[in-house]
């Protein structure tokens, strides 16, 4: 008995990231019915889009290089990426700063950036089987098989988009150090981000001058690029790149965004003041 | 500083209750309170309102991009689709700030346990849920709807008077359908505690109303006309204004009335099911 107690006492605590992932998973498991609402919402959105594009392609065979089949495939993949990449890092950080509770995170032996990231990992693991897998099943009913042409590159691209979307949301959340309540601004940036990332529509549908602008923004790497990597070809603003090239560019953007994140954080954290813990 | 309140006699109170004017006065008071509290973060308020307006224009953006790429919806010109979407957004722009806030209000109050505070007020729970839920930010949706409608109307030949009359009648039915949606969502919010995603379900269903009814197959056309009157949100009023031939409009109007009655019944039924935990 004594030996068992000693063994329990000396048992190493799980690594921090694992503990955060597990606790977030368990916490959100209690609200899985809320998450499962996507199983109603997403098929409805898909049906609306299905009818829109079916009507459009009755008149035209291709629209901006897309056929009905590839358009539905794009919509399916980008919606799955939307589920995979979703996080509330911006909202959580803003709320913590506004209420002053952020101070408790400053006292913890882990940087909030990593804590928040692993929260996202835990949350999305739950979403994978609650939201993503059933929705893939729904797409299969329409004979849409979200299988990438180059699986390894697609995996790399999806992983990078997962990190990049988190970093961008985190930067948006950091604005709270200056403005405290940022609901409106966050919503504004979110809308811009969603439209410019191609989550609703392929970016090649935009006028060419706007495409050039979208090419230099980081948002395309969240949804448009991984979706195009799934399809096996990339083109935007008349620029054609091979899959390794565009994934390399995506990796570079992740690095740039990470350093931008650190810079904004460094400037913002100086402005935070909190009392009590 | 103190203020003395002289309460009216019970008879007078009873008389007040029955007047629509009194209802209106209370509503205006609720609006003022909502504005005053939102003004605490003025910058955020104006930003939110602006974003609400921009977000509303996303549906028309898809239409513009489709037509920009040389594609189209069969039987519908670009400006006609924009008009349809303008009507839809106008309807939503009136509904969301003025009465749709009751959904969020109900969900949050049930979750926090403050719904009881509305139940003990000497007014109907539905009235109190609407009065205390004016959403000033959503006025951005109304502005967006007006702008879209006005922009689309510029490209349409001036409709005759009879078209305007038909349009206004159908537009009223559109608002009734929106109100019925609000009732269903609020009712669900009472039993499905803390689930703000109820909004998403109805918003996704409403998306069927943002496009011409003719693009959907027969089954869906029947559903959005005879089961859930979504066609009345945009397609029918816009078609009436454009003088397009429409079929099944009477059925949709009857469906809207039935939908509203069922919504009222559902809402009150859910209120009866509400089990308080506080006081």
């Amino acid at each position: 008995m004594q030996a068992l107690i000693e063994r329990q006492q000396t048992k190493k605590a799980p690594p921090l990231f694992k503990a955060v992932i597990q606790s977030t998973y368990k916490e959100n498991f209690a609200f899985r019915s809320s998450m499962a609402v996507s199983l109603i919402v997403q098929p409805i959105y898909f049906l609306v889009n299905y009818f829109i594009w079916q009507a459009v392609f009755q008149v035209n065979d291709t629209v901006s290089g897309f056929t009905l089949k590839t358009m539905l495939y794009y919509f399916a993949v980008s919606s799955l990426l939307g589920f995979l990449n979703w996080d509330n890092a911006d909202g959580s950080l803003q709320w913590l700063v506004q209420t002053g509770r952020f101070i408790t995170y400053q006292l913890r032996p882990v940087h909030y950036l990593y804590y928040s990231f692993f929260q996202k990992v835990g949350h999305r693991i739950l979403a994978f089987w609650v939201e993503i897998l059933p929705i893939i099943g729904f797409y299969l009913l329409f004979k849409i098989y979200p299988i990438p042409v180059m699986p390894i590159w697609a995996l790399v691209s999806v992983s990078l988009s997962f990190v990049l979307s988190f970093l961008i949301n985190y930067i948006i959340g950091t604005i709270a150090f200056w403005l405290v309540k940022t609901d409106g601004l966050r919503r504004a940036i979110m809308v811009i981000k969603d439209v410019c990332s191609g989550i609703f529509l392929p970016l090649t549908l935009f006028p060419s001058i706007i495409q050039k602008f979208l090419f230099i923004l980081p948002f395309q790497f969240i949804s448009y690029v991984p979706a195009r990597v799934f399809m096996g070809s990339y083109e935007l603003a008349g620029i054609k790149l091979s899959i390794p090239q565009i994934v390399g560019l995506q990796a570079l953007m992740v690095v740039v965004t990470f350093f931008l994140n650190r810079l904004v954080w460094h400037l913002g954290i100086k402005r935070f003041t909190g009392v009590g813990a | 500083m103190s203020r003395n309140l002289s309460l009216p006699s019970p008879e007078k109170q009873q008389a007040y209750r029955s007047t629509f004017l009194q209802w209106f006065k209370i509503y205006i008071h609720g609006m003022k309170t909502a504005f005053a509290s939102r003004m605490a973060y003025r910058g955020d308020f104006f930003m939110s309102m602006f974003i609400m307006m921009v977000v509303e224009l996303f549906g028309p953006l898809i239409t513009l991009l489709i037509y920009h790429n040389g594609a189209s919806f069969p039987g519908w010109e670009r400006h006609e689709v924009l008009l349809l979407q303008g009507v839809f957004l106008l309807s939503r722009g009136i509904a969301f700030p003025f009465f749709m806030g009751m959904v969020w209000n109900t969900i949050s109050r049930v979750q926090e346990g403050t719904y009881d505070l509305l139940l003990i007020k000497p007014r109907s729970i539905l009235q109190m849920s609407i009065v205390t839920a004016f959403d000033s930010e959503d006025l951005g949706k109304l502005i967006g709807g007006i702008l879209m409608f006005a922009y689309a109307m510029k490209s349409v030949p001036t409709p005759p008077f009879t078209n305007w009359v038909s349009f206004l009648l159908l537009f009223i039915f559109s608002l009734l359908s929106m109100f019925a949606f609000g009732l269903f969502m609020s009712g669900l919010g009472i039993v499905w505690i803390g689930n703000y995603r109820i909004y998403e379900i109805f918003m996704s269903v409403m998306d069927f109303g943002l496009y011409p009814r003719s693009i959907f197959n027969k089954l869906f056309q029947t559903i959005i006309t005879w089961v859930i009157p979504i066609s009345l949100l945009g397609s029918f009023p816009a078609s009436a204004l454009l003088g397009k031939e429409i079929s099944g409009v009477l059925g949709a109007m009857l469906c809207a009335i039935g939908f509203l009655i069922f919504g009222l019944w559902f809402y009150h039924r859910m209120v009866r099911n509400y089990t308080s935990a506080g006081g």
Side-chain angles (χ1 to χ4, degrees):
Chain A
M1 188 64 187
Q2 187 63 32
L4 184 71
I5 293 167
E6 277 175 13
R7 204 183 311 154
Q8 277 181 343
Q9 281 172 344
T10 54
K11 195 178 167 186
K12 270 177 71 179
L16 191 75
F17 74 89
K18 197 176 161 190
V20 176
I21 290 170
Q22 277 178 344
S23 64
T24 310
Y25 183 93
K26 283 177 187 170
E27 194 184 326
N28 286 283
F29 188 77
F31 302 100
R32 60 194 179 281
S33 76
S34 172
M35 199 178 259
V37 168
S38 301
L39 303 183
I40 305 168
V41 173
Q42 190 55 30
I44 296 172
Y45 277 132
F46 175 78
L47 282 174
V48 173
N49 272 276
Y50 179 80
F51 286 119
I52 291 172
W53 293 115
Q54 203 181 39
V56 167
F57 283 102
Q58 268 176 19
V59 185
N60 302 60
D61 289 334
T62 59
V63 175
S64 197
F66 281 83
T67 61
L68 176 62
K69 200 178 168 188
T70 52
M71 187 62 86
L72 293 176
Y73 180 85
Y74 178 89
F75 179 82
V77 172
S78 65
S79 68
L80 293 173
L81 287 164
F83 285 119
L84 190 72
N85 288 337
W86 185 89
D87 68 67
N88 191 32
D90 56 326
S92 303
L93 183 55
Q94 186 264 316
W95 183 76
L96 289 172
V97 172
Q98 190 189 352
T99 56
R101 293 183 192 193
F102 179 70
I103 197 166
T104 62
Y105 289 87
Q106 284 296 85
L107 300 173
R108 295 180 192 187
V110 58
H111 196 289
Y112 185 72
L113 174 76
Y114 302 108
Y115 176 83
S116 186
F117 179 74
F118 290 117
Q119 271 192 320
K120 173 176 177 169
V121 175
H123 196 264
R124 293 297 89 192
I125 288 172
L126 181 64
F128 183 77
W129 68 264
V130 175
E131 290 177 316
I132 298 172
L133 282 182
I135 288 170
I136 289 176
F138 175 78
Y139 288 148
L140 294 180
L141 295 176
F142 285 82
K143 295 186 177 159
I144 299 170
Y145 306 104
I147 300 164
V149 176
M150 297 182 213
I152 303 292
W153 284 111
L155 189 67
V156 175
S157 183
V158 168
S159 307
L160 289 169
S161 76
F162 185 85
V163 177
L164 185 67
S165 71
F166 168 77
L167 289 172
I168 290 174
N169 284 350
Y170 196 83
I171 293 173
I172 296 166
T174 312
I175 299 168
F177 287 126
W178 284 271
L179 301 177
V180 184
K181 191 166 167 66
T182 59
D183 291 349
L185 188 66
R186 279 194 297 117
R187 217 176 290 162
I189 300 171
M190 285 295 167
V191 171
I192 295 167
K193 192 186 88 173
D194 285 348
V195 173
C196 298
S197 69
I199 206 158
F200 302 114
L201 284 171
L203 299 181
T204 45
L205 285 181
F206 285 88
S208 58
I209 190 143
I210 296 177
Q211 285 186 42
K212 281 174 188 154
F213 182 63
L214 292 173
F215 185 80
I216 55 171
L217 290 177
F219 303 122
Q220 62 152 329
F221 296 103
I222 294 173
S223 184
Y224 182 71
V225 167
R228 292 303 299 244
V229 172
F230 258 71
M231 295 169 88
S233 67
Y234 173 85
E235 188 194 348
L236 185 65
I239 302 165
K240 286 185 182 178
L241 295 173
S242 68
I243 295 302
Q245 279 174 328
I246 192 63
V247 175
L249 210 56
Q250 192 184 13
L252 184 68
M253 190 53 79
V254 171
V255 175
V256 170
T257 314
F258 178 79
F259 284 111
L260 182 67
N261 183 304
R262 297 294 72 218
L263 177 69
V264 176
W265 181 267
H266 179 72
L267 297 171
I269 197 73
K270 288 178 187 169
R271 301 180 61 87
F272 179 73
T273 50
V275 180
Chain B
M1 202 166 75
S2 66
R3 188 182 289 177
N4 292 322
L5 284 173
S6 56
L7 289 171
S9 65
E11 290 80 16
K12 267 189 173 174
Q13 282 185 22
Q14 188 61 42
Y16 282 161
R17 258 174 229 147
S18 57
T19 59
F20 177 76
L21 192 69
Q22 190 67 10
W23 197 106
F24 188 69
K25 276 183 182 171
I26 295 171
Y27 187 79
I28 295 292
H29 192 75
M31 272 175 83
K32 282 181 186 169
T33 311
F35 261 120
S37 68
R38 197 61 186 85
M39 282 300 142
Y41 292 98
R42 230 161 280 190
D44 187 62
F45 167 71
F46 288 114
M47 177 67 79
S48 296
M49 207 165 86
F50 178 72
I51 291 312
M52 285 293 178
M53 189 183 80
V54 173
V55 168
E56 286 302 280
L57 302 179
F58 181 71
L61 174 73
I62 294 181
T63 304
L64 288 173
L65 289 177
I66 286 171
Y67 280 86
H68 170 79
N69 283 280
S72 62
F73 293 116
W76 286 77
E77 297 292 326
R78 191 188 80 148
H79 63 270
E80 290 176 336
V81 182
L82 289 180
L83 181 70
L84 185 157
Q85 294 178 336
V87 172
F88 178 88
L89 298 180
L90 196 60
S91 173
R92 207 155 72 171
I94 293 172
F96 272 76
F98 294 106
F99 55 79
M100 221 49 146
M102 69 174 165
V103 182
W104 188 274
N105 194 19
T106 305
I107 299 171
S108 66
R109 281 177 182 271
V110 168
Q111 189 182 21
E112 290 167 10
T114 53
Y115 194 61
D116 306 40
L117 296 176
L118 294 187
L119 284 165
I120 58 170
K121 294 276 192 305
R123 294 278 161 184
S124 84
I125 181 64
L126 179 58
Q127 184 184 354
M128 287 312 300
S129 298
I130 295 170
V131 166
T132 55
F134 176 73
D135 195 341
S136 48
E137 273 172 36
D138 277 347
L139 287 174
K141 286 185 196 287
L142 180 59
I143 296 168
I146 292 170
L147 288 177
M148 194 63 235
F149 184 74
Y151 173 75
M153 279 306 289
K154 276 191 353 189
S155 314
V156 175
T158 312
F161 180 71
T162 49
N163 286 14
W164 277 108
V165 173
S166 322
F167 164 73
L168 282 174
L169 180 69
L170 290 170
F171 191 70
I172 290 167
F173 273 87
S174 163
L175 292 176
L176 286 180
S177 305
M178 283 282 184
F179 187 65
F181 270 113
L183 290 170
F184 280 109
M185 283 192 266
S186 303
L188 269 178
I190 294 170
V191 288
W192 202 351
I193 295 163
N195 198 333
Y196 293 91
R197 297 195 70 193
I198 289 168
Y199 259 115
E200 282 183 50
I201 300 173
F202 285 87
M203 291 294 271
S204 62
V205 173
M206 278 185 201
D207 249 24
F208 280 100
L210 202 52
Y211 299 94
R213 181 170 163 258
S214 57
I215 71 164
F216 304 109
N217 67 18
K218 289 282 174 216
L219 174 69
F220 276 87
Q221 282 189 28
T222 308
I223 292 171
I224 64 172
T225 307
W226 291 92
V227 183
I228 310 169
I230 295 168
S231 297
L232 276 169
L233 301 182
S235 198
F236 280 153
S239 299
L241 195 58
L242 291 164
K244 279 179 177 275
E245 200 181 319
I246 41 176
S247 60
V249 69
L250 207 65
M253 285 161 81
L254 286 172
C255 174
I257 293 168
F259 197 58
L260 179 66
I261 293 167
F262 184 49
L264 281 166
W265 175 82
F266 179 78
Y267 177 79
H268 288 294
R269 177 83 205 166
M270 291 302 115
V271 171
R272 276 211 296 278
N273 283 352
Y274 174 67
T275 48
S276 168

